[in-house]
Amino acid sequence: MNTQALLDNVATINKDNGIFVNAKEFLKELRQVATAVAKPSDHRPNLTFVHVRVTENNLILEATDSHVLERANVAASIPDELVGKEFLIDGKFAKNLSKTPTKYGKTLGVYPQFNDGKYKGIISIVGGGEEFIDDSRENISVFGYPDLVRVTPYLNDATVKFDVQQKEIFPVLKEIVKIVNKPGLTEEFKEVKKTEVVALLVKDNVVKLRYSNWEKDLEFPIAVTNIVVNDEFEINFNEKKIKQRLQHLSSRENLTFRFNKNAYRPFTISRENGGLGLVCPIRLY
């Protein structure tokens, strides 16, 4: 965007209808959600923006790239005229802005721009004496953004579930990444390993992650609680997708994994603060 265009946008920003949020909380959750769309894929169509729904007391941030979903709730002070509105934030803009969540003071002002109730594709975020403008979605309509409530599995119908702290599962995922990237692999294995497929096994009161390195199956037990399973259960997924969902969370955060009895259905990761992650499984046959 050239200098004149930036000046024009600043001149048209309406500061009367601002949404005010705790800067650290908002940017932390924005970063978590933006991981779902901040890295466009060359192999499939990819949504590249965070969708924001405005309620009376919260902003609902959500994003999906068709393989994963991320949703978070952020408390906010919201003027009545903005309740029920929707707007978009570019994924890369969101990721760059949220790299340093303590940089912008205690409070951020969020100013999405509307014309006759329609989102104009311009948003201004003000904090710490600085103003940041995202106009990468000029005149885009929010209509037609995927209904994430509809595509999310029914959380109360999960047939398999367990609770786990981030610190119990994330280090195991990191260890598997080291094995995947280990040097000295054959050329044939290098071509296959890019899928980074990991299996999660649930049986009785034991949960394991299993990874095959072509020589043998490596199994990593996970310390979990509150297991619910009728029989043994197995599901395959891309290790990277899970790691991205967990990497920015507190090590002590309690997470609930929920699965449908059909191992080809997406599964969910629920957070303590009401946030939600979803990952699609991988079919191996």
Side-chain angles (χ1 to χ4, degrees):
M1 180 170 57
N2 60 38
T3 303
Q4 187 56 51
L6 176 60
L7 292 174
D8 291 343
N9 280 342
V10 171
T12 59
I13 295 295
N14 181 357
K15 293 301 193 300
D16 295 331
N17 294 327
I19 299 170
F20 295 95
V21 294
N22 177 283
K24 185 176 180 180
E25 179 188 359
F26 174 76
L27 293 173
K28 180 181 177 181
E29 297 301 336
L30 183 62
R31 184 183 186 188
Q32 173 69 17
V33 172
T35 60
V37 292
K39 293 183 178 180
S41 170
D42 294 331
H43 306 295
R44 65 179 186 274
N46 193 72
L47 296 174
T48 58
F49 43 87
V50 175
H51 179 253
V52 183
R53 289 189 284 145
V54 184
T55 67
E56 290 185 358
N57 300 303
N58 291 276
L59 296 181
I60 301 176
L61 314 177
E62 50 194 11
T64 179
D65 72 346
S66 79
H67 281 209
V68 299
L69 171 153
E70 196 72 37
R71 180 188 297 140
N73 301 320
V74 179
S77 175
I78 299 166
D80 293 340
E81 54 268 34
L82 292 185
V83 174
K85 293 288 195 299
E86 303 172 65
F87 59 92
L88 305 173
I89 304 176
D90 180 77
K92 288 185 178 180
F93 174 88
K95 185 178 180 181
N96 290 334
L97 183 69
S98 59
K99 284 181 178 178
T100 51
T102 59
K103 177 182 177 180
Y104 309 107
K106 294 183 177 180
T107 303
L108 283 180
V110 181
Y111 301 90
Q113 300 302 296
F114 297 90
N115 185 15
D116 294 330
K118 180 181 177 182
Y119 179 53
K120 294 172 59 178
I122 302 173
I123 180 172
S124 172
I125 297 180
V126 179
E130 298 184 76
E131 180 170 22
F132 305 88
I133 297 176
D134 172 23
D135 66 347
S136 57
R137 295 290 162 184
E138 187 173 357
N139 295 322
I140 192 170
S141 172
V142 297
F143 179 78
Y145 193 88
D147 182 353
L148 302 189
V149 174
R150 179 181 62 80
V151 303
T152 303
Y154 297 106
L155 299 182
N156 294 330
D157 292 342
T159 56
V160 179
K161 65 179 181 179
F162 58 82
D163 297 334
V164 63
Q165 284 195 315
Q166 192 265 14
K167 67 179 181 179
E168 299 295 345
I169 189 170
F170 187 69
V172 176
L173 294 170
K174 290 178 65 177
E175 182 63 26
I176 293 175
V177 170
K178 291 181 181 178
I179 296 172
V180 171
N181 296 327
K182 184 178 179 180
L185 300 173
T186 65
E187 289 301 321
E188 291 80 6
F189 183 64
K190 285 182 179 180
E191 291 302 314
V192 178
K193 79 175 181 69
K194 294 178 182 177
T195 60
E196 298 176 315
V197 177
V198 173
L200 184 142
L201 313 173
V202 185
K203 184 177 181 181
D204 299 325
N205 290 317
V206 178
V207 175
K208 298 179 180 179
L209 292 179
R210 184 177 66 200
Y211 180 75
S212 175
N213 71 348
W214 282 73
E215 295 178 353
K216 60 180 179 179
D217 288 338
L218 306 176
E219 293 190 348
F220 306 83
I222 307 295
V224 304
T225 58
N226 302 321
I227 296 179
V228 174
V229 62
N230 294 326
D231 199 354
E232 61 181 288
F233 175 79
E234 179 175 344
I235 190 169
N236 297 288
F237 57 87
N238 185 317
E239 178 276 337
K240 181 185 295 184
K241 299 298 184 182
I242 296 289
K243 185 171 176 287
Q244 288 175 343
R245 309 276 65 73
L246 305 182
Q247 64 183 351
H248 299 306
L249 305 185
S250 166
S251 64
R252 295 186 179 275
E253 181 160 358
N254 293 306
L255 309 166
T256 299
F257 282 67
R258 292 182 173 90
F259 307 85
N260 186 275
K261 62 182 179 181
N262 183 341
Y264 302 126
R265 290 277 305 276
F267 61 93
T268 58
I269 307 168
S270 299
R271 298 175 56 197
E272 292 176 331
N273 64 0
L276 181 70
L278 177 147
V279 178
C280 289
I282 292 176
R283 183 190 295 266
L284 295 182
Y285 53 86

